[in-house]
């Protein structure tokens, strides 16, 4: 996160936040899928899962994430905070709280549902993000909880990164859609 903050020039006032997020997330190594308005984001998640063919998927409790995974016949692990259980999952799927354009980061909110972060334990992370939730700057992300309750995913993990605020799997997929 510190690297993303220092390496990213500020967005100009005319910059489109979704386009800026897409460019910066791709530059960080994330794979971005833009579902056209009225398109089927569940099918996109199903295609990603089919290309990986996981035996088990760690799911957050978010209904969007659950619905998206119905397209794929893998076992779903939901609600577990047991790291050993989560580590056998090849993929984690969750709904992103927001995305930050000037960082190229997906924002997760740790609330009473700590299981959401359990979706970050697997090697592959898939986030569903509503285009309306793409903020221009980190300060534009609204949260009902304190700032320390937010987690950021900035592309695939970097070797040697020890930032406690950032946890990145080796592969990151972001599905942008219109809710």
């Amino acid at each position: 996160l510190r690297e993303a903050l220092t390496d990213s020039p500020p967005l100009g006032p005319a910059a489109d936040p979704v386009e800026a997020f897409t460019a910066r997330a791709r530059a960080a190594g994330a794979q971005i899928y833009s579902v056209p308005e009225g398109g089927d984001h569940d099918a996109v998640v199903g295609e990603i899962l089919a290309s990986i063919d996981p035996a088990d998927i760690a799911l957050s409790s978010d209904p969007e994430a659950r619905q998206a995974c119905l397209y794929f016949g893998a076992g779903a692990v939901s609600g577990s905070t047991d790291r050993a259980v989560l580590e056998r999952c090849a993929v984690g799927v969750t709904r992103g709280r927001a995305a930050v354009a000037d960082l190229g980061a997906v924002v997760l909110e740790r609330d009473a549902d700590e299981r959401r972060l359990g979706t970050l334990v697997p090697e592959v992370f898939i986030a569903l993000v509503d285009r309306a939730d793409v903020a221009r700057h980190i300060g534009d992300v609204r949260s009902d909880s304190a700032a320390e309750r937010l987690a950021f995913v900035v592309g695939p993990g970097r070797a040697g990164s020890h930032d406690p605020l950032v946890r990145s799997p080796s592969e990151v997929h972001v599905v942008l859609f219109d809710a």
Side-chain angles (χ1 to χ4, degrees):
L1 183 60
R2 287 183 185 96
E3 287 175 26
L5 284 170
T6 57
D7 291 346
S8 299
L11 292 182
D16 176 81
V18 174
E19 288 178 15
F21 166 77
T22 299
R24 291 184 177 177
R26 282 187 175 140
Q31 296 180 49
I32 308 297
Y33 306 82
S34 185
V35 179
E37 187 172 343
D40 188 356
H41 62 284
D42 295 342
V44 173
V45 172
E47 289 172 16
I48 297 167
L49 293 172
S51 72
I52 299 163
D53 197 23
D56 291 302
I57 302 169
L59 288 174
S60 74
S61 62
D62 184 83
E64 289 279 351
R66 289 178 176 285
Q67 179 64 33
C69 289
L70 290 177
Y71 270 69
F72 194 79
V77 174
S78 182
S80 176
T81 56
D82 181 340
R83 190 167 183 94
V85 170
L86 293 172
E87 285 178 345
R88 80 167 193 252
C89 297
V91 178
V93 180
T94 192
R95 172 85 182 257
R97 164 72 176 81
V100 181
D102 60 0
L103 300 177
V106 173
V107 180
L108 303 179
E109 188 168 17
R110 296 184 289 172
D111 51 15
D113 183 11
E114 291 290 332
R115 296 174 297 239
R116 179 171 299 244
L117 292 178
T119 58
L120 290 173
V121 173
E123 287 296 309
V124 178
F125 172 71
I126 301 172
L128 296 156
V129 178
D130 185 347
R131 280 186 187 84
D133 294 332
V134 178
R136 295 176 64 75
H137 309 288
I138 196 168
D140 297 334
V141 175
R142 305 286 182 234
S143 174
D144 295 332
S145 57
E148 67 269 7
R149 303 295 292 170
L150 299 178
F152 300 85
V153 180
V154 184
R158 295 182 181 99
S161 176
H162 300 290
D163 190 332
L165 295 176
V166 179
R167 168 70 173 107
S168 292
S170 62
E171 194 174 311
V172 174
H173 300 265
V174 181
V175 179
L176 294 169
F177 70 100
D178 295 301

